[in-house]
């Protein structure tokens, strides 16, 4: 009895498992595959739609997994899903302010899986189904669905992408192995001849030091169980031929201790030196290289022939090294430094000089090539082959300049001028002062152009360049600003006057030194008070002590100021009221009454 499609979908979606049952899924696949009409696809879509409508997040999660399986295999199912995309968005993503049902952990899992599956649908089928792309844009920009995690999971789990990546990796590995095979073949062809020459040289040295089997048999004779020829001087070939014809056997006993009795002496020391040199090559150069070849060829399939040749070389090198061990050659000499080219026994060891940092810097500066030094540097003055052009010019134009300088000034006028003349530092303007022709080449070398060759005449500075050299740039230095002292006169509020003026405060007069309380320091008087003559107006304590002359002088001063102000003002109409007496006039009247 066949199970209906609705029952299969219900069994898969209500199983309560996070993963779908494989047997049931395969059974549903077979039903959909063998159905020639689209009726089975439609039934499956309707059953999944009913499962998604249920108010349980786990059921919807299983239905979405099953829908993904059918969506990737059926064009008709994809058309049905695309037509109902808005409703599916509400059921699996919670769009349009629709909340996903409980349980909460499955609801969040459903939302993440829906975003991942839908992104995979857009990547794989977006070109054929344009509404999938429109839906993706709607979810991303309108519903603000986050697809970052979905993108990462898709790139990690997508089977086609994984297969393509594996294919690329295999192709790259195959290409690398091909290049490795070519490099090993080329290296083998370059090194094979030198390795064989080294092995042949070692074999020849072994043959000189160790006798062969023929030499051993000829020197010690042969012992046979039954022999018909008893001639001691008989040839070995005849003996072996007779023994082979009569089917007789021969036993040869060789004592290895007697055979390997070769010891290094003055006669064979050259042979041992040659063995050591080639043994060093075999151990330190050829053997590691052969091992590298074997490691590369073990990973390459089409390298059986080359691998056999490399194995043969490795065997020969191993045999040669074992023969050297049997000869008793000590391998410790390979770690010692070779000093064949230079013998240092004739020289005595001297302590290394201690050079500090400043001496090292000075030595480096002295080692610089003076030919490329700039004009005016100290390196040029230390060069014995260099003569400063200014010295040559002075000696040529003024041979008696030193004599005149020693004689001193000729008259008193010149002495006075020298005393008042400003002293300036020596610079380029004084160096080239009054000159009209200056050689531009101060290195002492011939200037040659790479195409035009050398110049016929010496290069000279232009007039504009010479005028620039004869000018001196003087930079204005701003004078130091003096500290402006505060007035510090006591104020009615108890504080000190904070005004800062250079000479005089407009409120308290001249700036004078004051103590912390604002009082004048002892023994100091303002300049105005010190210079002003004593007046009875300022010193009198009573009216009777006032001097009439001082009062008259003060009155005249006040009248002069009043007349000056009246002239400056416009004339006004005469007032009918009697003018009030000023303070000075009242003071004069009071003095006259008392007298």
């Amino acid at each position: 009895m066949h199970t209906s499609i609705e029952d299969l979908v219900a069994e898969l979606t209500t199983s309560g498992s996070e993963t779908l049952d494989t047997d049931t899924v395969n059974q549903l696949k077979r039903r959909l595959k063998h159905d020639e009409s689209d009726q089975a696809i439609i039934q499956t879509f309707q059953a999944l739609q009913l499962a998604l409508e249920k108010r349980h997040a786990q059921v919807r999660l299983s239905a979405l997994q099953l829908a993904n399986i059918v969506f990737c295999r059926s064009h008709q199912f994809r058309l049905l899903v695309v037509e109902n995309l808005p409703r599916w968005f509400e059921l699996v993503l919670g769009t349009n302010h629709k909340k996903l049902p409980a349980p909460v952990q499955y609801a969040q899992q459903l939302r993440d899986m829906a975003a991942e599956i839908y992104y995979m649908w857009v990547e794989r089928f977006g070109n054929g189904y344009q509404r999938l792309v429109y839906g993706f844009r709607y979810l991303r920009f309108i519903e603000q669905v986050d697809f970052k995690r979905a993108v990462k999971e898709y790139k990690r789990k997508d089977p086609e992408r994984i297969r393509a990546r594996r294919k690329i990796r295999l192709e790259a590995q195959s290409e690398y192995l091909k290049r490795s095979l070519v490099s090993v073949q080329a290296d083998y062809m370059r090194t094979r001849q030198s390795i064989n020459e080294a092995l042949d040289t070692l074999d020849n040295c072994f043959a000189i030091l160790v006798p062969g089997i023929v030499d051993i048999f000829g020197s010690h004779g042969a012992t046979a169980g039954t022999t018909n020829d008893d001639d001691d001087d008989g040839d070995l070939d005849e003996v072996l031929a007779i023994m082979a014809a009569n089917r007789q056997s021969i036993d040869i006993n060789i004592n290895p201790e007697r055979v390997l009795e070769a010891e290094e002496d003055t006669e064979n020391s050259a042979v041992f030196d040659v063995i050591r040199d080639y043994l060093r090559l075999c151990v330190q150069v050829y053997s590691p290289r052969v091992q590298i070849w074997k490691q590369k060829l073990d990973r390459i399939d089409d390298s059986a022939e080359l691998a056999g040749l490399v194995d043969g070389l490795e065997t020969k090198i191993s045999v040669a090294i074992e023969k050297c061990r049997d000869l008793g050659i000590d391998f410790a000499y390979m770690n010692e430094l070779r000093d064949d080219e230079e013998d240092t026994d004739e020289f005595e060891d001297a302590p290394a000089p201690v050079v500090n940092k400043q001496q090292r810097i000075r030595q480096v500066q002295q080692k610089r090539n003076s030919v490329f030094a700039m004009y005016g540097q100290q390196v040029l003055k230390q060069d014995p082959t260099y003569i400063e052009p200014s010295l040559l010019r002075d000696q040529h134009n003024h041979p008696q300049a030193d004599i005149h300088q020693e004689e001193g000034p000729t008259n008193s006028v010149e002495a006075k001028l020298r005393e008042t003349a400003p002293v300036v530092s020596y610079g380029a303007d004084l160096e080239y002062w009054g000159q009209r022709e200056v050689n531009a080449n101060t290195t002492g070398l011939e200037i040659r152009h790479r195409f035009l060759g050398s110049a016929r005449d010496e290069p000279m500075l232009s007039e504009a360049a010479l005028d620039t050299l004869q000018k001196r740039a003087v930079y204005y230095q701003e004078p130091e600003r003096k500290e402006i002292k505060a007035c510090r006169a006591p104020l009615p509020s108890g504080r000190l006057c904070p005004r800062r003026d250079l000479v005089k405060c407009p409120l308290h007069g001249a700036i004078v030194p004051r103590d912390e309380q604002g009082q004048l320091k002892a023994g100091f008087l303002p300049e105005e008070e010190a210079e002003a003559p004593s007046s009875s107006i300022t010193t009198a304590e009573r009216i009777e002590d006032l001097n009439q002359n001082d009062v008259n002088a003060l009155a005249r001063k006040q009248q002069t100021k009043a007349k000056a102000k009246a002239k400056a003002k416009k004339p006004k109409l005469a007032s009918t009221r009697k003018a009030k007496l000023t303070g000075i006039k009242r003071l004069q009247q009071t003095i006259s009454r008392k007298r």
Side-chain angles (χ1 to χ4, degrees):
M1 181 178 180
H2 294 287
T3 307
S4 63
I5 294 178
E6 290 78 1
D7 295 339
L8 292 175
V9 173
E11 181 181 355
L12 290 171
T13 55
T14 59
S15 61
S17 177
E18 295 184 359
T19 58
L20 302 178
D21 183 47
T22 307
D23 297 336
T24 309
V25 172
N26 292 334
Q27 185 178 355
L28 179 61
K29 288 180 182 179
R30 288 193 296 269
R31 292 288 299 276
L32 297 177
K33 184 177 181 180
H34 295 295
D35 188 9
E36 297 179 357
S37 62
D38 297 334
Q39 189 64 29
I41 299 296
I42 297 174
Q43 293 178 2
T44 304
F45 176 78
Q46 294 175 354
L48 290 174
Q49 186 76 21
L50 292 175
L52 291 174
E53 294 287 347
K54 292 183 178 181
R55 302 291 301 174
H56 199 284
Q58 190 173 5
V59 176
R60 292 187 182 184
L61 182 63
S62 301
L64 181 61
Q65 295 178 4
L66 184 58
N68 182 36
I69 295 174
V70 183
F71 187 93
C72 295
R73 289 168 174 79
S74 174
H75 167 68
Q76 184 63 30
F77 188 84
R78 289 194 286 269
L79 292 177
L80 295 174
V81 172
V82 168
E83 292 177 359
N84 296 270
L85 273 180
R87 182 57 182 167
W88 278 51
F89 290 161
E90 295 178 357
L91 296 175
V92 298
L93 289 171
T95 59
N96 294 332
H97 307 287
K98 301 291 183 180
K99 294 184 179 181
L100 298 178
V104 179
Q105 63 272 19
Y106 286 103
Q108 183 62 34
Q109 189 176 355
L110 173 63
R111 186 180 291 104
D112 296 340
M113 183 175 292
E116 180 182 345
I117 289 175
Y118 190 75
Y119 181 80
M120 185 266 292
W121 289 356
V122 174
E123 288 291 328
R124 294 183 60 181
F125 307 103
N127 296 331
Y129 305 90
Q130 195 65 27
R131 294 187 64 180
L132 290 176
V133 180
Y134 296 155
F136 176 76
R137 295 175 181 174
Y138 167 76
L139 293 176
R140 183 179 178 184
F141 299 107
I142 304 301
E143 296 294 339
Q144 301 297 326
V145 178
D146 189 8
F147 285 95
K148 293 182 180 179
R149 183 175 178 275
V151 172
K152 294 180 180 180
E153 292 295 328
Y154 170 73
K155 291 181 178 180
R156 186 176 62 87
K157 295 181 180 180
D158 183 39
E160 292 185 359
R161 185 182 294 272
I162 292 175
R163 286 194 294 270
R165 190 180 303 167
R166 185 184 296 110
K167 182 179 179 181
I168 293 173
R169 185 170 61 253
L170 292 176
E171 290 178 354
Q173 185 177 3
S174 176
E175 187 68 22
Y176 170 74
L177 293 178
K178 289 181 181 178
R179 292 197 303 269
S180 299
L181 179 60
V182 172
S183 64
V184 170
Q185 288 177 348
D187 197 9
Y188 172 78
M189 296 302 295
R190 288 194 303 267
T191 318
R192 178 185 59 180
Q193 183 177 359
S194 60
I195 295 176
N196 290 329
E197 290 179 356
L199 295 175
D200 293 341
T201 304
L202 288 175
D203 291 338
N204 295 333
C205 293
F206 296 152
I208 297 173
L209 297 176
V210 181
I213 188 64
V214 177
D215 299 333
I216 295 172
F217 188 82
S219 60
H220 299 287
T223 59
T226 306
T227 58
N228 295 327
D229 192 356
D230 197 11
D231 189 7
D232 295 336
D233 298 331
D235 187 54
L236 178 61
D237 295 334
E238 296 179 358
V239 174
L240 294 176
I242 295 172
M243 293 172 60
N246 297 330
R247 295 182 180 180
Q248 295 175 354
S249 61
I250 181 172
D251 295 332
I252 300 175
N253 297 324
I254 301 176
N255 187 4
E257 296 181 356
R258 187 176 180 184
V259 172
L260 300 177
E261 287 180 350
E263 295 181 357
E264 186 175 0
D265 52 15
T266 56
E267 295 181 357
N268 57 9
S269 60
V271 179
F272 274 93
D273 291 339
V274 173
I275 291 177
R276 290 191 184 93
D277 292 339
Y278 282 97
L279 178 60
R280 184 195 296 270
L281 286 175
C282 291
V283 173
Q284 295 183 351
V285 179
Y286 298 144
S287 182
R289 182 172 295 183
V290 171
Q291 293 296 329
I292 294 174
W293 293 347
K294 287 191 63 177
Q295 292 177 2
K296 291 183 178 180
L297 294 176
D298 289 342
R299 295 180 294 174
I300 303 175
D301 297 334
D302 302 334
S303 61
E305 182 179 357
L306 184 59
L309 297 176
V310 172
D311 290 339
L313 280 180
E314 184 184 16
T315 303
K316 292 180 181 179
I317 293 174
S318 301
V319 171
I321 293 174
E322 290 298 328
K323 289 182 179 180
C324 293
R325 285 197 176 95
D326 294 339
L327 286 175
I329 297 177
D330 188 8
F331 283 44
Y333 76 96
M334 297 183 184
N335 299 327
E336 299 176 357
L337 296 177
R338 298 187 61 184
D339 51 358
D340 298 339
E341 299 178 358
E342 183 178 358
D343 188 4
T344 58
D345 295 340
E346 300 179 359
F347 300 96
E348 296 180 357
D349 295 335
V354 179
V355 182
N356 55 19
K357 185 176 180 180
Q358 295 182 355
Q359 291 179 353
R360 190 181 299 109
I361 294 174
R362 192 180 299 110
Q363 291 177 1
V364 173
Q365 293 177 353
Q366 292 177 357
K367 289 180 181 179
R368 293 178 180 174
N369 193 350
S370 60
V371 174
F372 299 99
M374 300 298 293
Y375 174 74
Q377 291 186 355
Q378 191 68 21
V379 182
L380 287 177
K381 297 181 180 179
Q382 296 177 358
D383 189 358
T385 62
Y386 172 76
I387 300 178
E388 192 171 358
S390 60
L391 298 178
L392 288 176
R393 184 181 63 255
D394 295 341
Q395 293 177 4
H396 178 72
N397 297 333
H398 306 284
Q400 303 297 330
D402 298 336
I403 300 176
H404 293 294
Q405 290 180 0
E406 293 177 358
E407 293 178 356
T410 56
N411 50 26
S412 60
V413 177
E414 185 177 355
K416 293 180 180 179
L417 291 176
R418 287 181 179 275
E419 292 178 358
T420 58
V423 179
V424 295
S425 60
Y426 186 80
D429 56 340
L430 299 179
E431 175 72 22
Y432 298 101
W433 188 265
Q435 298 185 26
R436 294 302 176 189
E437 293 183 359
V438 177
N439 192 350
N441 182 16
T442 59
T443 60
L445 300 176
E446 181 183 2
I447 300 178
R448 296 181 60 87
H449 194 270
R450 58 183 300 185
F451 300 121
L452 303 179
S454 59
R456 295 180 180 178
D457 300 331
E458 294 184 358
M460 308 300 291
L461 289 179
S462 61
E463 294 183 359
L466 192 57
D467 292 340
T468 304
L469 290 176
Q470 293 177 356
K471 294 179 181 179
R472 177 182 292 246
V474 179
Y475 298 94
Y476 172 74
Q477 295 182 356
E478 185 178 0
E480 297 182 0
R481 299 185 62 180
K482 297 181 180 179
E483 182 182 1
I484 301 177
K485 297 181 180 181
C487 177
R488 295 181 58 81
L491 298 175
S493 62
R495 295 182 297 176
L496 302 180
C497 179
R499 287 188 59 89
R500 293 179 181 270
D501 298 281
L502 291 175
V503 179
K504 185 176 181 180
C505 175
L507 301 177
H508 305 96
I511 305 297
V512 295
R514 298 177 184 271
D515 56 9
E516 297 180 356
Q517 285 76 25
Q519 301 299 327
L520 292 176
K521 291 185 178 181
F524 181 83
L525 291 175
E527 294 181 0
E528 296 179 357
E529 297 180 2
E531 296 178 358
S534 60
S535 176
S536 61
I537 297 177
T538 58
T539 59
E541 296 181 357
R542 297 178 302 172
I543 297 177
E544 291 77 3
D545 299 335
L546 293 175
N547 190 355
Q548 184 64 33
N549 296 329
D550 296 337
V551 176
N552 295 335
L554 184 60
R556 286 194 299 271
K557 188 176 181 180
Q558 291 290 340
Q559 291 177 1
T560 304
K561 289 183 179 180
K563 290 180 181 179
K565 290 182 179 180
K567 290 181 180 179
K569 294 182 180 180
K570 294 180 180 180
K572 295 182 179 180
L573 295 176
S575 176
T576 57
R577 298 178 61 182
K578 186 178 181 179
K580 294 183 179 180
L581 296 176
T582 61
I584 301 298
K585 291 182 178 181
R586 288 198 299 271
L587 185 60
Q588 290 176 348
Q589 293 178 2
T590 304
I591 295 172
S592 61
R593 287 197 207 99
K594 289 185 178 182
R595 288 182 181 179

